Amino acid sequence: MSGVQIIRVAEGDGDQRLDRWLRRLFPHVAQARIEKMCRKGELRVDGARAKASTRVEAGQEVRIPPLPVPGSAPTVQKSKVSEADAAMIRSCVIFRDDHIIALNKPPGLPVQGGSGQARHVDGLAEALRFGLEEKPRLVHRLDKDTSGVLLLARTREAAKGLTAAFRHRATRKIYWAAVAGVPSPRMGTVRYGLVKAPGHGAKGEGEKMLCVHPGKVTDTPGAKAATTDYAVIEAAGGRTAWMALVPVTGRTHQLRAHMAEIGHPVIGDGKYGGSGQENLGDGWGAQLGGDVSRKLHLHARSLKIEHPVTRAILSLTAPLPEHMRRTWDLFQWRDADASEDPFEGLA
């Protein structure tokens, strides 16, 4: 074992997650060990406790507890991406240049590892090097069951620019969803705040976001303001509607919680909309039955963002996943009937 070390973050190594910074210095140290050191307060930044996701800056001092010498103890081996998984994740690429990769993330594939999650985008990104020494970095996330546009940065410079763009909301993200019932009015804004409710599992599994009246956000511990714009693109009678959703803020499960709160949960969303199969058009019940898939009908359809290096405006669009395509075909909804931005021109 090594002794305690104090390492100063070098120029050019700032503005990145603590765990990624540490893994580049000590590639033999497993992610699970890093997270354990953070939980125990052994890994500190400028003397303060830190999380694995804490962003370090140039000049900061990181206290690192004794670490095993490479090869002195069993370590978690880097999982090799199978040929089938490599082909799958490469088939998801919808844009690539020297700085950025954009994926159409499949539903059901987590972005990062977690409890019981061994197969995820971050791990499969090993197959997306395309000649570079390092795998591309995640700069934002989608829920496991949400599909659509997901950006990865191929260089540290690109990661810094993209992270800043998402942090400062210098992006335009439009999601497509099928929801229970048809919202009225057909275009509007949801402003309920969100607060996290603990899950019931031993490790917090099942946690969800609860909506808070906008006037009570400041008085509710842990609550954060949240805003979603919505527009009905097409409706199938009163049973379901094809929606465009824009997360003006970027809270966990925001779109799902907001749509359920106004009585129109996303189809397939058992967490926020209940698992009831019957929906008679009254705007409740997350399952439609019949030939409609029980999977979540939420898709990150498009993303508009300034390229972090060339400064050109990128407009990325992801085709619908198969289960949503079948639903669209069932209700005879055509992609061409939706404008690129249904909210364009509105204040």
Side-chain angles (χ1 to χ4, degrees), residues 243-262:
M243 306 291 299
L245 305 172
V246 172
V248 179
T249 52
R251 311 304 184 197
T252 301
H253 295 177
Q254 175 179 316
L255 301 180
R256 297 164 60 186
H258 272 176
M259 294 312 296
E261 184 67 17
I262 66 171

Side-chain angles (χ1 to χ4, degrees), residues 18-139:
L18 174 60
D19 54 356
R20 292 175 187 165
W21 175 84
L22 191 65
R23 289 290 293 275
R24 287 189 173 89
L25 291 177
F26 305 99
H28 66 287
V29 179
Q31 179 70 20
R33 187 181 185 94
I34 295 174
E35 293 177 359
K36 182 177 181 180
M37 291 189 295
C38 289
R39 288 195 302 271
K40 295 176 67 176
E42 298 174 339
L43 194 58
R44 293 176 174 259
V45 177
D46 283 346
R49 296 177 70 102
K51 298 180 180 180
S53 60
T54 297
R55 303 194 77 80
V56 296
E57 300 294 344
Q60 288 185 316
E61 292 187 340
V62 181
R63 178 196 183 277
I64 302 172
L67 298 175
V69 176
S72 64
T75 58
V76 176
Q77 298 295 317
K78 182 189 297 183
S79 60
K80 180 177 175 59
V81 179
S82 69
E83 291 186 10
D85 278 345
M88 181 279 295
I89 199 67
R90 288 171 185 154
S91 73
C92 296
V93 174
I94 55 176
F95 176 85
R96 184 182 113 205
D97 66 9
D98 292 339
H99 312 283
I100 294 173
I101 289 177
L103 304 179
N104 182 7
K105 187 190 84 67
L109 180 66
V111 170
Q112 286 183 298
S115 177
Q117 302 292 349
R119 183 172 177 265
H120 45 80
V121 173
D122 195 31
L124 298 178
E126 290 288 345
L128 298 175
R129 294 173 183 262
F130 296 113
L132 297 188
E133 290 186 5
E134 295 185 353
K135 71 177 185 180
R137 304 165 172 84
L138 296 169
V139 292

